[in-house]
Amino acid sequence: MTDRITLKGLRARGWHGVLATERAEGQDFLVDVVLELDLRAAARDDDLTKTVDYGVLAGRLVKVITGEPVDLIETLADRLLDVCLDDERVTEATVTVHKPHAPIPHEFADVSVRMRRGRAER
């Protein structure tokens, strides 16, 4: 059995992209994260130390989003996956990076990249 912790719509400003304007002006990125792990001990003991503190996780993810710029949101998603898998209790993680203001010359709702990795695939 695998339990899940989900964090949706984490928003932070980053300077990622291949265009000079993206690097100069920045834009908001939205991130969704799903962590798969066993939550029985945390639930049984009502103990935060036996689970992933999603507030702390959000802070670490924001540091990556607002940190060193990359060209591709695929690279950003991969870096965010590494943060999620840093906690040994997490067996698998899925990260979706949304770039709602991507420089596309047509009307669109969203562009996103979704990546999923297990601990063995790191």
Side-chain angles (χ1 to χ4, degrees):
M1 179 183 75
T2 301
D3 304 314
R4 292 187 176 118
I5 294 174
T6 302
L7 173 63
K8 285 189 172 183
L10 180 65
R11 182 185 307 265
R13 190 157 192 87
W15 289 263
H16 311 288
V18 296
L19 301 179
T21 56
E22 294 178 290
R23 294 293 182 103
E25 298 172 12
Q27 60 190 291
D28 284 348
F29 292 83
L30 289 117
V31 172
D32 304 326
V33 172
V34 178
L35 308 178
E36 298 185 29
L37 67 161
D38 187 343
L39 296 172
R40 289 177 290 188
R44 179 186 60 242
D45 299 339
D46 196 26
D47 187 347
L48 179 61
T49 65
K50 294 183 179 179
T51 187
V52 173
D53 183 331
Y54 46 79
V56 171
L57 175 66
R60 293 185 64 214
L61 296 170
V62 166
K63 281 185 179 182
V64 173
I65 299 166
T66 60
E68 179 187 349
V70 297
D71 288 343
L72 303 177
I73 59 174
E74 290 86 343
T75 305
L76 180 59
D78 189 62
R79 290 181 180 183
L80 295 168
L81 273 169
D82 283 343
V83 170
C84 293
L85 292 169
D86 276 348
D87 190 309
E88 293 182 5
R89 294 171 292 202
V90 176
T91 57
E92 290 187 353
T94 303
V95 170
T96 306
V97 176
H98 302 267
K99 190 175 180 179
H101 303 293
I104 296 173
H106 305 283
E107 188 173 332
F108 71 99
D110 188 26
V111 171
S112 66
V113 167
R114 179 179 174 262
M115 297 173 76
R116 180 179 178 155
R117 298 280 183 274
R119 177 154 305 288
E121 299 168 306
R122 275 185 96 177

